[in-house]
Each structure stands twice: as structure tokens, then as C-alpha cells.
Amino acid sequence: MSSNSFVYNEHSGGGEAAELGQEATATISPAGAFGLFSSDLKKNEDLKQMLESNKDSAKLDAMKRIVGMMARGKNASELFPAVVKNVASKNIEIKKLVYVYLVRYAEEQQDLALLSISTFQRALKDPNQLIRASALRVLSSIRVPIIVPIMMLAIKEASADLSPYVRKNAAHAIQKLYSLDPEQKEMLIEVIEKLLRDKSTLVAGSVVMAFEEVCPDRIDLIHKNYRKLCNLLVDVEEWGQVVIIHMLTRYARTQFVSPWKEDDGLEDNEKSFYESDDEQKEKTDKKKPYTMDPDHRLLIRNTKPLLQSRNAAVVMAVAQLYWHISPKSETGIISKSLVRLLRSNREVQYIVLQNIATMSIQRKGMFEPYLKSFYVRSTDPTMIKTLKLEVLTNLANEANISTLLREFQTYVKSQDKQFAAATIQTIGRCAANISEVADTCLNGLVYLLSNRDEIVVAESVVVIKKLLQMQPAQHGEIIKHMAKLLDSITVPVARASILWLIGENCERVPKIAPDVLRKMAKSFTSEDDLVKLQILNLGAKLYLTNSKQTKLLTQYVLNLGKYDQNYDIRDRTRFIRQLIVPNEKSGALSKYAKKIFLAQKPAPLLESPFKDRDNFQLGTLSHTLNIKASGYLELSNWPEVAPDPSVRNVEVIELAKEWTPTGKAREENPSKNFYSESEEEEDSSDSNSDSESESGSVSGDDGASTEDSSEDSEDSSSEQESGGVAEDKAAAKRNPETKGESDSEDGDKKNKKSKTSDSSNAESSSIEESSSQSESESENESESRKVTKEKEKKVKQDRTFLTKDVSLLDLDDFNPISTPVALPTPVLSPSLIADLEGLNLSTSSSVISVSTPVFVPMKTYVLLHRMSGKGLAAHYFFPRQPCIFGDKMVSVQITLENTSDRKIENIHIGEKKLPLGMQMHIFNPIDFLEPEGSITVSMGIDFCDSTQTASFQLCTKDDSFSVNIQPPVGELLLPVAMTEKDFKKEQGMLTGMNETSATVITAPQNCTSSVILQKVVNVANVGAVPSGQDKIHRFAAKTVHSGSLMLVTVELKEGCTVQLIINTEKTVIGSVLLRELKPVLSQG
């Protein structure tokens, strides 16, 4: 904000400053202030000349300097005419920088920007996605109502763009257009609805932001996309995660029943004490046990990993979600993450502590284990110190109060007087809340009255006054001591508090009170208004209780007040005079004057200033300011009865029926109950195990995988599994009829299994060849999941696909590698096919399948040298076969050899030091290895599509050796079979930022097809794509972990030059592969 305001201020006064600069140069030396402006003008003239140059290099240099000026907050608006001329430049780098400039200044220079609008419209069709997106950003930044139709058309086109980056910018433009012309709301909602169905994680956060800005009340748009948003949440960029989590929090509060009902049972029991037995019985009969909606659980489960996020806003968003929608028993997990944020910078600490202060009022137990994390440090700013004091006060109880009071004693001595005063208030609140330490605190505060610091003494007086008000009869000596302080204390609030205390207890100190009034009457005219009011009150009280001594003194004070400059004091004086001094005009109230002035006052309630803040959603601006900010959306109360959960289902049962032969259903009718319910449950648990493996836990046939995985992944996997089974059971309960239908159709599929087409048989046989090492049924199942959904429907491993309540979005959880649904095209309309493809999260085509490797290099890598291993040698190589231990793992074969003359026993894998997210399936321990003996074992490692090193201990009975495996980038791929047409189609969708290329000069003997094929497949595990052109060689693969396509093109140019192009979403892997292929192709 500060930088923007600086720019605007400088812009508004830029012209005047320039004129002053020109006039002043004659009289003031160049080193003076105005000399700076003249030099700026010369620089800008230089930039203008460079922008009008014919050389692209000069223009590019000028644009870099201009963008640098903008970044430093300098005003560059006067260069707008010179910059806008270059908007049609053919140089992409210049064009990008021009668009960056125009986005910043288009709103200020609208007329000049409008002249180039045709160029922006042409740029919307540019082949480069960055240019298309930048043109849309500039167009939406020109805030002129006349171009609203053009903007609307541009947004509609961009929302259907192939590039997710352009669609993301379309979502950003929606908000700008809505603020310019709110009448476009309905048309914009249509675009938002379309973008909400988008499969890209890049778009999700931006479109939800547009939804929150344009139509936050249209919850119906979220229903069908709810599960998809929950599942995509982990992969969305950080600020998108914040927006989505806040939106889903509001959604959950409208769609699910309160999970706190079971926690409220105790309160109900307390209330039922006053009810009759019959009423209580009726109440318990009506009360049903609470069961959480599976979608509610899905949201809570999928946000839990984000508590580990490096972004404080994401952690705060998840914390408020747990606070507002999770069961109270599960809220405790957020406390550790919030305490972790207290190590961040002071701004983050301030917001986090405010939220902790609100939470700690209601649930102290959450933060009690982290009490020491809230101790004040000397380096903390005052605002942080005050908030930490607030939290410590909220957490104070009988058990820890002695520790806290010792801590507070240190704080009182602080040089920060504001903090010391806040500490004294904290001690007062602790004394009020915990009666056991009230006397101790009071004695400590009285001791502070002798402090040299006036602010400390004044604050102590105010707090003592509040504490004495709670138990006035016991502390006459303290009141006498405080009366003596009136001569030395000058702080108005403290003086007023002492006077109020003496007035309230004037009958207990009959000798001191009149003397205090006498002293105050002398200094009345010089006192603060607050003190004057208390002097008047003291005089009135003494007049009513001890009129002999104080009658004349009180009248003197009233006469002074009658002519005071402050009208409040004049009003109070007239009121008191009429009330306590009887005369003819006195009303009926004068009889009750004593009762009015000396009535028993209620004791003050020392409450936390954060008590009322729980009305606002945590983590919002409204909560921070404690007032409703503009644009704040309130959380609704939980519904008594949950709305229909089926609105979140994406139904596909009708599609399945369309292409099922009609006569078969009747024939198979008797076999409706052929599949038992237990088998259904087994299938559902199988599908959930897929989602478990996707979340990072390795599942194997033997027990080694369980030992292998960490405790955290085990917890998360078990939680996901239980959640998934509950969801399937809930779905089965909702639609028993559908279950029966799906059973009959499953039987139909089972019978048709042997009648599949020749092409599918050929494909399945090729798959069997490629997975020759996997012969068990479970291994074949894991292979079949890699195949397209068309084959999946024919083999039908997972019958839950056809149940009505399971959505396509849920299948992304079940299938490790997500591929689009392939249905016979004659039956489905193009719109339905588009919808189905839109729901899918992968960019893979329906005809893409894993093929056998073209070449398997036998190159081995040293894992452990025989000298280092004390006779045990280990080598490893990559067999380029799909891993039998998990779909996302790379298969590694390790050969262990005993080169010593003694038997080596108990060879096994010990401690693993793996980067975050990486998983490893270890081999079973080897009991012994004879001298000169060798054995080959298989392992599976999920490298998470990176070339990070997997480090672990290779152990024997007596020793352990640190070893590591680092995969070449080419071994992170699986070859893919596709046609040239499909290759070009996929390549067209992976341009711009997803494309890297290089030119290589190669030897003449390397220009033949066979040599190029051999060199490429030797480096990377890719499949050859048939090509109709002799000089273009294409290769395709997909990454093992995420299934992202990797498309390699080698094009032979004239003069032994090779153009190497790699298209992939995984740009890091693409650039590394390009770096490895270049030297191989250039070698002779």
C-alpha cells in the first residue's frame, strides 16, 4: 500500500516538481534538491530516444529500465506515449515488458490506451500464452464503460483457452469487469460456472476469488465442484488455497449439521435437572446420535496437511476452518501449527496472537502445553508484548498462576512503560479471576505504589481501586496509604481513582476524607476535568455524611464548578446543588440524595477485550479490527437439518445405461443378488487403498512396507481409509435401489468380459508383456489401473464406478494415474464428452497407454564399493519396468555381492533419510550371503518426479553403511504409445512456459533415424511415435509419479543442425532432460 500511495502522490505532483526543477537550476547548485529532478528529466529523454530506436536491443534495455523504475516506486507515466508505440513489437520480450507497463498505467492514461485497443484484441489470438494473458490483463485494466462488451467477449474466449494460465487471467478479469459494470453480473456468473468446472489447479484459486467477489451467495454453483475443490486443494497455489478454504468454511456452515451437538450433551444434562423424568425421557428419545457427513469429513481431512504449509496465511486459514467447522475434540491439532507461526515476523505474530487470544478464552486447554511460547522477549515490539500478556492471562489457572506472577514481576520492571502498565492490568485480572491469589496480587500492587515511575504507580492505583471495589470492607489501611499519594501522583486517572475510593469509603476514613477535600479545593481550578468531576462527587458524599465539617467546603467547590469552562462540570455542579442542598425548588429526589450517592456499586467485571471478537470469523480483517469491514461475509449458523447431500454427486449412472445393451438387463435380472454385500464392501475398501497409496503411503504384500512408512503417513492413510469406507457405506444406505442396479450391471460386465474386441485383447497382451515381472493377481490389478478408463470398464476391477452416489471426482482419489473417461462417441453428445473431459484432472488423451521400453541400458551404478563395505559390494541399475510395489514408484534392481572370505549375515535396509514426500519400498532382509556369492533384489522408490537423492543405511549384522541412489532424469519416465495426430494435439496444449528448446550441431553420422533413436532412448525411457516425415523424430513418455506427459521432438535442419524441443508440464524435469540430451546428440 505504501509504495502505491507513494507513486500516486508523486504522479499528482510530478509536473509542478519538474517546472520547479527547471526554474531552480539557475539559482541553486546541481547538488541541491532540485538538481535531482533535472537529471530525471534527462534520463527520461534518453529512454524516449531508446524506445524510438530501430534496434530491438535498445528498446529492450529501455523497457527493463522503465520496469525497474516502476518496481522502485518511481513515476514513469510520462513515458506512456513512447511505450505504447511498441505494443505491436514483434519481439516477444519487448512485448511482455510493454504489457507489464500498460497494466500499471492503462487506468490513468485511458485515452492513449484506447488508441491501441485493436492491437490488444489481435494479441488475444497470439500463439504465445503469455501474450494472450497479458493482453487480457491490459484490456481489463482500461476502466472505460464503452469497452465493456469487448472485455466481456474477451473474457468468454479466454475462459475456453487451452492454456490454464490464460484461463486464470480470465478469472482475474471477471472481478475487474464486475467492479466496472455490475450489470454484467448474470453473464459473468455463467463464465464463473464454466471456470469452476475447470480441471486445472492453476485456475481454481482465481475462479473462487471471482466467485467470492461477484456472487458469494450462489452456493448452488459449488455443489457439483465441492469434492473436486477439496481434492485439488493441496496442489493449488498458496493464495488460492486461502481463498478456497475461506469459501469452503462458509459452504460447510450452510450444508452440514453442527458437529458440536455431541459436545453440548453435558449442557443438556445440566438443564434437565429441572425437568420432570417424562420430559427428560422424551428429550432423549428425540435426540439422535450424530454422524458426520462424509463430505464434511473429506474437507477436514484434506485441509489437515496444509497445517504444515510454509505460508502463514494458509496455516491461519486452515486453523479458522478447524475452529469453525470441526468437532471440538479435533480442534487441538491447530495449536501446534499456530505456535510455530510465532517464530515469523512481527506482522504475522500480531495477527496469529490476536486469533489465539480469541480462541484461548473459550478453550484454554488447547494452548496450555505451549505456555512458555507466549513468554515475552525483550526484542518483541509493544503490540506483540501486549497480546502475549492477553494470552497468558487467558491461560492462567490455579496450577500455573505462581509461575506467571513471577514472570509478571519481571515485566513490571521493563523500560517499556506502556508494557509495564499493561502488565499491572494483567495482574489485576488474574487476581479477579483466581480468588486464591487475590490477596497476594493486591499486596504486590500496593508495593508498586512506592515505585519511582509515575506511570507504574498510576496504573497500580487504578487496578487497586477495581480490586478494592470487589471487597471494600477489608482494606481501610490501603485506602489511607493511597490518600497520602495524592500529593505526589499527577496522572489524572490515578488521582480520580483515589478520590472515588475515598468518597465511597468516606465513613471508614472520617478524619482523612475532609482533609483530602480541603486540599483538592485549593487546586480545583488547575485539575484535569476527570479529577474535577470526582472532587464534586467527593464533596457531595461528604456533605451528606459529615455536613458539619464539610458544608462550607462543599459549597465553595460547587461555586468554583458553577463557573468552570467545561459544560459537563457546570451541569454536574447544578445537578448536585439541586440534589443535596434543600431549597424551595428542590424536587422529590432530594429526599433520596444519600441513597443515590452512597448506593452499593456493582463490582467491575475485568474482562478480556477479545471476548466479543468471536462474533467475527477468525483470520479476517473484521476480527482484527473488531468492527465489520466492507465485503465481510458472515458465517451462517449451522442448519438444524442438513440439506440434501446428493446435490454434490456428479451422476454418471445414466451414461453407463446408454451404452449398455438394453436386452441384457432383463436377462440378468434374476442374478440381482449374485454379489453379496460383503464383496461390495471389499471393493470399496480396495478403491480406498488406491487413494491411500496416492497420499504417499506405500502399500505392499508383505509387512516390510508397513515398517517402512513413517508414523505420520500411517496415521493419514488410516484416517483416509476409514473416511473413504464411511463415505461408501453412507452412499449405499442412501440409494439401495441403485446398488441393486449396479450389481446387475456388474454381472453383465462379468459375462461380457470374454467377448471383448480383438483390439483390446491385443492391447492387454502387450501390457502383459510389458509387466512380465508382475504375475500375481494384485500386481495385474495395479497394472490395469494404468490403462485407460475404456479398458477399465471392460475388465471392471472397481465396480463402485457405476454406483450412483460415487462421483467422477471421487475417482481421482481411487485411481493413481487419472485418465479421461472413454465412452463410445456415437452415443454421447459433444457437450457431454466436453463435460466429462473437463471433470478429469489429467491432460492425457484417451488413447494414450504405457508401452514396453524400446531399449533397456544395462549401465550399472555403484551403490557400495567393496572396500567401503568391508567386503560387501552393491550395484544398482534401472530395469525400466513398471514397479510391482506401487504405480508411482521407479523400479530399482540391486545386486549384492560378497567379495570377502567370510559369510555376511542379516543384510537389510536400516534408517532412511528421504526428502519430504519421497517413499521407498525396501527388500526383505537377507539372512546370509556366502563368500563369492551374489544376489539380486528389487526395490521401489517414489522419487516424486525429481532427481533428489534417496539416502539410507545398508546394514549387515555387524556394520551399517550410508548409501544413496540418485536417478538419472530419463529413468523417471515410462514410455507411452500414441499416434502422430495425438502427439501434435498434446504438443499444441503444452506450449509457452511448458516448452523448452535448444539447437545442437551434430556430426554427419548422427543424422540417421536409427542413430537418433538409439541415442535418445539410451538417455531416457521414452517411446517412439510414428512419424510421416523423415527429418522429424518424435518420442513420448509420462512421468512415473504424476503421469504428466513428456513430449520430445528431434528435428533435423540443414547443415547437421538439430532442433531439440521438449514439451511438458514438469518444466524442471524438461529442462534437465534437455541438458542431458544435448551433449549426447552432439557427440560424433
Side-chain angles (χ1 to χ4, degrees), residues 544-607:
L544 293 169
T545 57
N546 188 3
S547 59
K548 287 182 182 179
Q549 280 184 293
T550 58
K551 184 176 181 181
L552 292 172
L553 204 54
T554 303
Q555 285 180 348
Y556 173 71
V557 171
L558 290 174
N559 285 333
L560 288 173
K562 185 179 179 181
Y563 300 105
D564 197 87
Q565 290 182 353
N566 189 300
Y567 57 80
D568 277 340
I569 293 165
R570 296 199 299 272
D571 282 353
R572 180 69 64 87
T573 304
R574 292 191 194 99
F575 165 70
I576 290 174
R577 190 187 293 277
Q578 291 298 321
L579 200 58
I580 66 171
V581 182
N583 57 25
E584 297 157 5
K585 295 180 181 178
S586 294
L589 278 178
S590 59
K591 298 175 187 176
Y592 306 103
K594 193 167 185 177
K595 287 186 178 179
I596 290 170
F597 276 102
L598 299 172
Q600 188 68 35
K601 309 293 191 300
L605 199 60
L606 300 177
E607 287 184 336

Side-chain angles (χ1 to χ4, degrees), residues 95-375:
K95 192 179 277 192
K96 286 179 190 173
L97 293 174
V98 168
Y99 279 129
V100 169
Y101 177 90
L102 293 177
V103 168
R104 168 67 184 81
Y105 288 109
E107 191 172 345
E108 297 173 22
Q109 306 273 354
Q110 292 174 353
D111 295 338
L112 286 170
L114 281 171
L115 295 174
S116 305
I117 202 161
S118 59
T119 310
F120 304 144
Q121 286 179 285
R122 279 200 304 275
L124 290 170
K125 309 286 185 185
D126 195 276
N128 189 317
Q129 59 175 350
L130 293 175
I131 301 299
R132 296 200 301 275
S134 299
L136 183 61
R137 289 173 65 198
V138 175
L139 203 58
S140 57
S141 299
I142 306 172
R143 303 184 61 76
V144 181
I146 197 169
I147 66 161
V148 164
I150 297 172
M151 283 172 65
M152 189 72 234
L153 190 64
I155 289 171
K156 281 186 175 178
E157 287 181 1
S159 67
D161 197 280
L162 288 174
S163 165
Y165 180 67
V166 178
R167 299 199 297 273
K168 178 189 178 77
N169 278 276
H172 292 164
I174 288 171
Q175 301 164 61
K176 295 182 182 178
L177 180 54
Y178 178 70
S179 64
L180 180 63
D181 185 9
E183 292 179 6
Q184 302 291 326
K185 182 174 181 178
E186 291 305 316
M187 294 176 74
L188 290 174
I189 288 174
E190 291 177 15
V191 181
I192 289 172
E193 188 174 6
K194 180 181 178 183
L195 286 173
L196 278 170
R197 295 197 298 266
D198 200 295
K199 60 189 176 180
S200 173
T201 53
L202 199 65
V203 182
S206 302
V207 70
V208 170
M209 188 70 230
F211 169 82
E212 291 280 80
E213 195 74 28
V214 178
C215 52
D217 53 332
R218 286 289 303 274
I219 293 292
D220 57 294
L221 298 179
I222 304 298
H223 290 323
K224 298 287 183 190
N225 302 292
Y226 171 81
R227 291 173 189 162
K228 181 187 75 173
L229 288 172
C230 288
N231 289 325
L232 288 183
L233 197 54
V234 179
D235 299 318
V236 176
E237 38 87 26
E238 291 168 340
W239 297 112
Q241 288 174 343
V242 175
V243 175
I244 293 171
I245 290 169
H246 277 282
M247 184 274 291
L248 291 177
T249 305
R250 284 195 308 109
Y251 180 87
R253 287 292 285 259
T254 60
Q255 300 300 309
F256 307 127
V257 181
S258 170
W260 306 332
K261 286 186 176 179
E262 55 188 358
D263 299 320
D264 296 339
L266 295 171
E267 296 173 19
D268 293 340
N269 290 340
E270 288 168 12
K271 290 174 188 174
S272 64
F273 177 78
Y274 298 99
E275 297 173 359
S276 67
D277 292 341
D278 295 335
E279 287 174 346
Q280 193 173 346
K281 192 176 180 182
E282 284 174 17
K283 198 168 182 180
T284 51
D285 289 343
K286 287 178 184 175
K287 193 173 180 181
K288 295 178 181 177
Y290 170 75
T291 52
M292 183 178 280
D293 189 297
D295 287 328
H296 192 172
R297 172 57 63 196
L298 176 72
L299 175 58
I300 293 171
R301 187 174 68 235
N302 284 15
T303 50
K304 185 179 178 181
L306 296 180
L307 286 170
Q308 313 296 326
S309 174
R310 62 184 178 180
N311 189 312
V314 175
V315 177
M316 192 62 246
V318 177
Q320 65 83 29
L321 178 135
Y322 265 79
W323 180 260
H324 290 299
I325 72 162
S326 75
K328 291 181 180 177
S329 57
E330 296 179 26
T331 315
I333 65 166
I334 65 174
S335 51
K336 189 175 183 180
S337 301
L338 290 175
V339 169
R340 173 172 64 87
L341 295 182
L342 296 181
R343 302 191 194 102
S344 308
N345 55 54
R346 58 176 65 184
E347 291 79 14
V348 172
Q349 286 185 56
Y350 180 72
I351 298 298
V352 171
L353 282 168
Q354 279 200 323
N355 289 280
I356 290 176
T358 304
M359 293 179 192
S360 58
I361 293 170
Q362 293 184 25
R363 301 180 202 170
K364 291 185 179 183
M366 278 175 61
F367 296 98
E368 274 180 17
Y370 308 100
L371 188 71
K372 290 185 179 178
S373 300
F374 302 105
Y375 283 177

Side-chain angles (χ1 to χ4, degrees), residues 363-644:
R363 301 180 202 170
K364 291 185 179 183
M366 278 175 61
F367 296 98
E368 274 180 17
Y370 308 100
L371 188 71
K372 290 185 179 178
S373 300
F374 302 105
Y375 283 177
V376 173
R377 294 179 179 150
S378 57
T379 53
D380 288 337
T382 305
M383 60 181 184
I384 302 297
K385 290 177 180 175
T386 313
L387 283 170
K388 283 186 173 178
L389 276 178
E390 180 62 39
V391 175
L392 289 172
T393 311
N394 293 340
L395 298 180
N397 55 32
E398 293 85 350
N400 59 27
I401 187 64
S402 57
T403 311
L404 290 178
L405 285 177
R406 281 199 301 275
E407 191 76 10
F408 293 157
Q409 282 173 11
T410 312
Y411 298 166
V412 169
K413 299 171 188 172
S414 170
Q415 295 300 311
D416 185 347
K417 300 309 171 192
Q418 189 181 342
F419 170 56
T423 305
I424 293 167
Q425 290 179 6
T426 299
I427 294 171
R429 275 179 57 195
C430 290
N433 296 336
I434 305 167
S435 56
E436 288 83 354
V437 293
D439 291 337
T440 310
C441 292
L442 199 56
N443 293 336
L445 291 170
V446 171
Y447 173 75
L448 289 175
L449 293 176
S450 57
N451 195 295
R452 291 179 183 177
D453 194 332
E454 194 177 343
I455 294 174
V456 172
V457 174
E459 200 64 44
S460 302
V461 168
V462 175
V463 174
I464 288 170
K465 171 228 168 186
K466 291 176 180 175
L467 292 177
L468 291 181
Q469 209 173 333
M470 296 176 183
Q471 38 189 354
Q474 303 170 15
H475 303 287
E477 289 302 315
I478 295 175
I479 295 167
K480 290 176 185 176
H481 180 63
M482 291 173 73
K484 293 174 186 175
L485 293 173
L486 268 175
D487 297 331
S488 57
I489 292 178
T490 57
V491 178
V493 179
R495 291 173 71 81
S497 297
I498 294 172
L499 290 172
W500 185 90
L501 266 178
I502 294 169
E504 281 295 297
N505 300 280
C506 57
E507 292 175 334
R508 295 190 182 90
V509 283
K511 293 179 181 178
I512 294 174
D515 195 50
V516 169
L517 182 63
R518 178 183 62 79
K519 286 182 179 179
M520 290 294 102
K522 282 183 182 179
S523 60
F524 184 87
T525 51
S526 60
E527 294 288 354
D528 189 84
D529 291 344
L530 190 64
V531 181
K532 286 178 182 177
L533 290 171
Q534 290 305 328
I535 294 171
L536 290 170
N537 285 347
L538 176 62
K541 291 170 185 175
L542 288 173
Y543 185 92
L544 293 169
T545 57
N546 188 3
S547 59
K548 287 182 182 179
Q549 280 184 293
T550 58
K551 184 176 181 181
L552 292 172
L553 204 54
T554 303
Q555 285 180 348
Y556 173 71
V557 171
L558 290 174
N559 285 333
L560 288 173
K562 185 179 179 181
Y563 300 105
D564 197 87
Q565 290 182 353
N566 189 300
Y567 57 80
D568 277 340
I569 293 165
R570 296 199 299 272
D571 282 353
R572 180 69 64 87
T573 304
R574 292 191 194 99
F575 165 70
I576 290 174
R577 190 187 293 277
Q578 291 298 321
L579 200 58
I580 66 171
V581 182
N583 57 25
E584 297 157 5
K585 295 180 181 178
S586 294
L589 278 178
S590 59
K591 298 175 187 176
Y592 306 103
K594 193 167 185 177
K595 287 186 178 179
I596 290 170
F597 276 102
L598 299 172
Q600 188 68 35
K601 309 293 191 300
L605 199 60
L606 300 177
E607 287 184 336
S608 167
F610 288 84
K611 188 179 180 184
D612 299 327
R613 293 204 186 193
D614 56 356
N615 299 329
F616 298 108
Q617 185 175 352
L618 293 183
T620 59
L621 179 63
S622 299
H623 177 268
T624 305
L625 302 175
N626 202 21
I627 54 169
K628 188 173 179 179
S630 80
Y632 174 70
L633 300 167
E634 289 186 357
L635 282 179
S636 60
N637 293 324
W638 294 102
E640 288 297 321
V641 180
D644 181 15

Side-chain angles (χ1 to χ4, degrees), residues 658-669:
E658 280 183 32
W659 59 272
T660 303
T662 52
K664 289 279 181 184
R666 290 175 189 171
E667 290 172 18
E668 296 295 332
N669 227 2

Side-chain angles (χ1 to χ4, degrees), residues 850-894:
V850 177
S851 63
T852 53
V854 178
F855 173 73
V856 180
M858 297 310 292
K859 181 180 179 182
T860 59
Y861 304 86
V862 176
L863 182 66
L864 180 65
H865 193 271
R866 60 187 179 82
M867 299 297 290
S868 307
K870 298 180 180 179
L872 177 65
H875 296 80
Y876 68 92
F877 85 103
F878 299 91
R880 292 192 175 180
Q881 293 291 346
C883 184
I884 61 173
F885 304 118
D887 297 323
K888 297 186 176 184
M889 290 190 170
V890 176
S891 185
V892 184
Q893 287 194 2
I894 299 177

